[in-house]
Structures are given as structure tokens and as C-alpha cells.
Amino acid sequence: LAQATRADRSTKLIRSRSLSCEIMARFLAILLQGLLVVSTADQGVPAVQKVIQMLGNMQAKVKEERNADEVAFAEFKTWCEMESGDLKKQISENGQEIERLGASIGSLGSEIKTLGEEIGT
């Protein structure tokens, strides 16, 4: 009976300490959360200013990239216009060459026919 009473007391003491530790841990967690909220609130203005600064930097970077893109596009457009003119000229020249070669093939075909007849007779 004495051992049972000691065991009960020990169990109650352990449970009591366990409960106290749990309550203390919860209290510390709530306290830390409160401290974080307070420290975050104190830093709220600089954080907002930092975000505004970051947005300003981002805006400047976007403007620089836009200007670089506009320059690159202007160069590409100029190249396309020049190449388009050259391409049209080449197409015209090659069309004339095709007509010339077609006429040459026709005349050479008739010459082949004539020479073939001369050889055959």
C-alpha cells in the first residue's frame, strides 16, 4: 500500500510537472509570437520603404530593357527592309534567268533535233 501511494504521488508529480512544462511552453510560444508581431510592426515602415525601393529599381530595369528592345527591334526592322529589297531584286533577276534558260533549252532542243536528223540521213 505504501509503494502504491508513492507510485501514485510520483505519477501525480510527473503529470503535474508535465502539465506545468506544457503550460510554460505554450506561454513562451505565445510570448514569442507577440514579440515577433511587435518587432515586425516596428520594422513595418522600413519594410514598406524597401518594397517601394525594390519596385523603383524594377521599374528602372524594365525601362532599360524596353529601350534595349526598341533599339534591337529597330535594327532588325532595318535589316528586314534591306533584305526584303535585296530579295525582291534577286527574285526578279532569277525570274529573268529562268526565262533566258528556258528559251536556251528550247533552241538547243530544236538544234539537237536538227543535228539528229542530219546524222540519221
Side-chain angles (χ1 to χ4, degrees):
L1 189 64
Q3 288 179 348
T5 308
R6 274 190 198 165
D8 289 339
R9 285 184 192 162
S10 295
T11 304
K12 286 180 182 178
L13 184 60
I14 290 171
R15 285 182 184 165
S16 173
R17 286 183 181 170
S18 174
L19 185 60
S20 294
C21 287
E22 186 177 328
I23 291 171
M24 184 62 81
R26 287 183 182 182
F27 175 76
L28 287 174
I30 292 170
L31 181 64
L32 286 174
Q33 287 175 349
L35 289 174
L36 287 174
V37 168
V38 170
S39 67
T40 304
D42 290 343
Q43 295 176 354
V45 173
V48 170
Q49 289 175 349
K50 181 68 176 175
V51 169
I52 292 170
Q53 179 186 8
M54 290 170 63
L55 288 172
N57 292 343
M58 191 182 316
Q59 183 180 18
K61 186 176 180 182
V62 166
K63 285 181 181 179
E64 289 174 14
E65 289 177 359
R66 185 186 68 204
N67 290 339
D69 286 345
E70 287 175 354
V71 168
F73 179 76
E75 290 173 357
F76 179 70
K77 183 179 177 184
T78 302
W79 178 82
C80 286
E81 289 170 352
M82 290 174 54
E83 288 297 313
S84 176
D86 290 345
L87 187 60
K88 287 177 183 176
K89 181 180 173 186
Q90 288 177 356
I91 289 171
S92 174
E93 290 173 356
N94 289 337
Q96 292 172 359
E97 181 73 12
I98 288 171
E99 289 176 13
R100 188 184 64 77
L101 291 174
S104 179
I105 289 171
S107 68
L108 290 174
S110 60
E111 187 178 336
I112 290 172
K113 185 177 177 184
T114 305
L115 290 174
E117 289 175 358
E118 287 179 9
I119 293 174
T121 52

